[in-house]
Amino acid sequence: MLLAPLAYLAFQSLWRGGRLSLDAYAQAFEPRVWPLLLRTALLAAAATLFALSLGGAAGAVFERRKFPLKGFLRVASLGPLVLPPFFHVAVWEHLARPGGPLLALFPVAAEAGKPFPIRNELFVIVILGVSFSPVFFFLVSE
């Protein structure tokens, strides 16, 4: 049942205009696509490094120190991983609203009456890094 949607997508990508065709795949290798692919790869690499830094450091500290409720904290650390990144974006949007906490912490980062500037590559890296940091947390901790 899991493979049915993938099989349908593969069939639709190969069947064009009533005949077998590789045109959809040829479009993926047009010169205009390469800068987009490079940008995506760089964002993914940066988010992975951020997740590795955050999750790895948290896992190392978690293993070397004693904490009350250590078992609960371990389960709670799964939170960012089980929530889709959409929820992370919604929370950041709320924090960045005009008059929100981010502007209170960093008042010079935005113009008066405007939201904190989070719609950029840096915050994409932060949001994805936080979302996937539990993967590295659990690789480092026991």
Side-chain angles (χ1 to χ4, degrees), residues 51-63:
L52 173 64
S53 302
L54 185 63
V61 169
F62 193 79
E63 286 303 314

Side-chain angles (χ1 to χ4, degrees), residues 1-140:
M1 188 68 174
L2 177 66
L3 296 178
L6 294 176
Y8 177 75
L9 286 174
F11 174 76
Q12 289 295 321
S13 72
L14 293 170
W15 194 257
R16 298 283 179 156
R19 64 179 177 83
L20 190 61
S21 171
L22 294 175
D23 289 343
Y25 295 97
Q27 291 174 358
F29 293 101
E30 290 179 359
R32 65 183 174 87
V33 175
W34 289 106
L36 301 173
L37 183 60
L38 177 63
R39 182 178 179 193
T40 302
L42 291 173
L43 282 172
T48 301
L49 287 174
F50 185 71
L52 173 64
S53 302
L54 185 63
V61 169
F62 193 79
E63 286 303 314
R64 296 182 197 282
R65 304 281 184 233
K66 292 186 179 190
F67 293 98
L69 302 172
K70 199 169 188 176
F72 171 76
L73 291 173
R74 181 180 296 281
V75 172
S77 67
L78 284 171
L81 192 59
V82 298
L83 292 174
F86 169 80
F87 288 105
H88 296 272
V89 172
V91 168
W92 279 105
E93 288 282 340
H94 180 73
L95 294 173
R97 73 188 187 284
L102 282 179
L103 283 176
L105 289 172
F106 306 103
V108 296
E111 298 175 30
K114 294 196 174 188
F116 190 87
I118 64 166
R119 294 183 180 192
N120 55 44
E121 288 85 2
L122 176 63
F123 274 89
V124 170
I125 292 166
V126 169
I127 290 169
L128 289 173
V130 169
S131 297
F132 294 105
S133 62
V135 171
F136 295 105
F137 173 84
F138 282 102
L139 286 175
V140 171

